[in-house]
Amino acid sequence: MIAIEKFFDPISKDGYLGDDNYQMIKQYMLALRAVSKLINLGFYIIDYNKQEFLYVSDDPLFLSGYKQEEVLKMGYEFYNKVVPPDDLDMLLELNEKGFEFFYNLPVERRDKASISYDFRLKRRDTGSEILINHKLTPLILTETGNIWFALCLVSLSVAEKPGNIFITFQDKDERFDYDVIRKKFKPAKVKHLSKREKDVLRLMIQGYVTCEISQQLFISEETVKFHKRNIVKKLKVKSAMEAVYFATINKIV
């Protein structure tokens, strides 16, 4: 079991606003609650000032057999209950190195960064484990560039094991992968999809099968299959179905 305070040790405490300023995000919270009913994604909001969950969507994947209000009350203690010890250690290391990377960024780029990582959750009722993906991005920064609120999207992972940690940016096509041996983030080569591959992927997301994509794009079925293989390889997934899921979650097209 990990002391929850350790998740907040690397975080700068400068520049947080007073309680009266929480009123500014009420409308934002209403919008997020509405969105949670429309999309098939769980999410929660972390308040780094008060070191708690500000909001948790009613998503069974993340709640792991607990009720929404129970998770809100537990806050980060929830992780001690549902995350296996090895994965907890990974999350603690990720937390330290992720914030180290974040605070080395220019202030104007910090709200453009997102970090993605996979870890296991154990269900309260059955004890079974599932591998999930977290994609965390700053929601609101303080005037001094510290994280005040962060939004975390939760979805099933397409990976085979925990880890797969990387940072991307909204304003620039670059990626940094976490090196577990050297314990640092390093630049990764981004494999771009070609225009035709994006065309194929877009139709795959819309539910078209190979023969229909062939007709839509006026190319042979063999060419469609060729593009599908390249898409799977470039996105580092195991199948076309996983490519569709990964591309949807990460807004590839």
Side-chain angles (χ1 to χ4, degrees):
M1 184 172 291
I2 290 177
I4 297 306
E5 293 77 15
K6 287 186 175 293
F7 279 103
F8 298 94
D9 282 348
I11 302 172
S12 173
K13 302 298 191 296
D14 296 333
Y16 283 112
L17 306 176
D19 288 344
D20 56 333
N21 288 282
Y22 277 74
Q23 299 301 316
M24 66 181 287
I25 64 165
K26 276 191 173 181
Q27 294 302 316
Y28 198 69
M29 291 296 303
L30 291 174
L32 286 171
R33 289 190 180 104
V35 169
S36 70
K37 298 176 182 179
L38 298 175
I39 61 176
N40 191 27
L41 279 177
F43 66 88
Y44 60 97
I45 297 175
I46 304 168
D47 182 345
Y48 284 103
N49 179 24
K50 295 186 176 180
Q51 301 185 1
E52 62 185 17
F53 294 148
L54 182 66
Y55 177 75
V56 177
S57 66
D58 189 14
D59 173 59
L61 178 66
F62 176 65
L63 295 179
S64 302
Y66 288 88
K67 295 180 180 178
Q68 189 178 16
E69 55 270 21
E70 289 179 312
V71 176
L72 275 172
K73 184 176 181 180
M74 285 187 285
Y76 266 62
E77 187 60 38
F78 172 69
Y79 288 129
N80 272 329
K81 294 182 178 295
V82 299
V83 180
D86 287 349
D87 289 18
L88 265 179
D89 290 339
M90 180 197 74
L91 291 180
L92 198 60
E93 179 181 319
L94 162 64
N95 196 67
E96 176 186 352
K97 299 302 180 181
F99 276 107
E100 181 181 295
F101 182 94
F102 177 82
Y103 284 116
N104 280 324
L105 290 172
V107 172
E108 63 272 14
R109 292 207 70 203
R110 292 179 183 176
D111 63 347
K112 308 295 191 302
S114 294
I115 186 168
S116 176
Y117 50 97
D118 300 315
F119 64 95
R120 294 169 294 170
L121 291 179
K122 183 170 64 176
R123 287 196 58 83
R124 176 192 200 179
D125 45 1
T126 64
S128 60
E129 294 181 354
I130 56 172
L131 187 64
I132 64 167
N133 174 261
H134 267 42
K135 186 178 294 294
L136 189 147
T137 188
L139 195 59
I140 298 177
L141 302 182
T142 67
E143 292 180 354
T144 55
N146 298 322
I147 293 183
W148 183 10
F149 297 110
L151 173 67
C152 190
L153 298 178
V154 183
S155 61
L156 282 172
S157 172
V158 298
E160 296 180 344
K161 59 183 180 180
N164 315 300
I165 305 162
F166 61 89
I167 291 173
T168 54
F169 293 87
Q170 298 172 16
D171 62 340
K172 197 172 182 181
D173 194 7
E174 61 180 342
R175 167 172 163 158
F176 292 82
D177 289 351
Y178 185 65
D179 187 328
V180 295
I181 304 299
R182 297 182 179 179
K183 298 187 182 301
K184 62 184 295 185
F185 286 92
K186 60 181 183 180
K189 185 177 181 181
V190 179
K191 293 185 177 180
H192 300 281
L193 297 181
S194 68
K195 181 182 182 304
R196 182 59 85 189
E197 288 165 351
K198 288 182 178 180
D199 291 338
V200 171
L201 181 56
R202 191 174 292 109
L203 291 173
M204 289 166 60
I205 292 172
Q206 293 174 18
Y208 288 88
V209 297
T210 298
C211 62
E212 293 170 327
I213 295 173
S214 171
Q215 294 168 3
Q216 288 286 323
L217 299 179
F218 303 102
I219 57 178
S220 70
E221 291 187 23
E222 286 303 314
T223 301
V224 174
K225 293 176 183 177
F226 171 77
H227 288 313
K228 283 187 174 183
R229 288 194 295 269
N230 281 343
I231 291 168
V232 168
K233 183 177 180 180
K234 288 183 178 181
L235 296 185
K236 297 181 179 180
V237 294
K238 299 189 293 294
S239 67
M241 184 177 296
E242 288 187 3
V244 167
Y245 184 79
F246 182 85
T248 302
I249 297 300
N250 291 280
K251 299 180 180 179
I252 302 297
V253 294

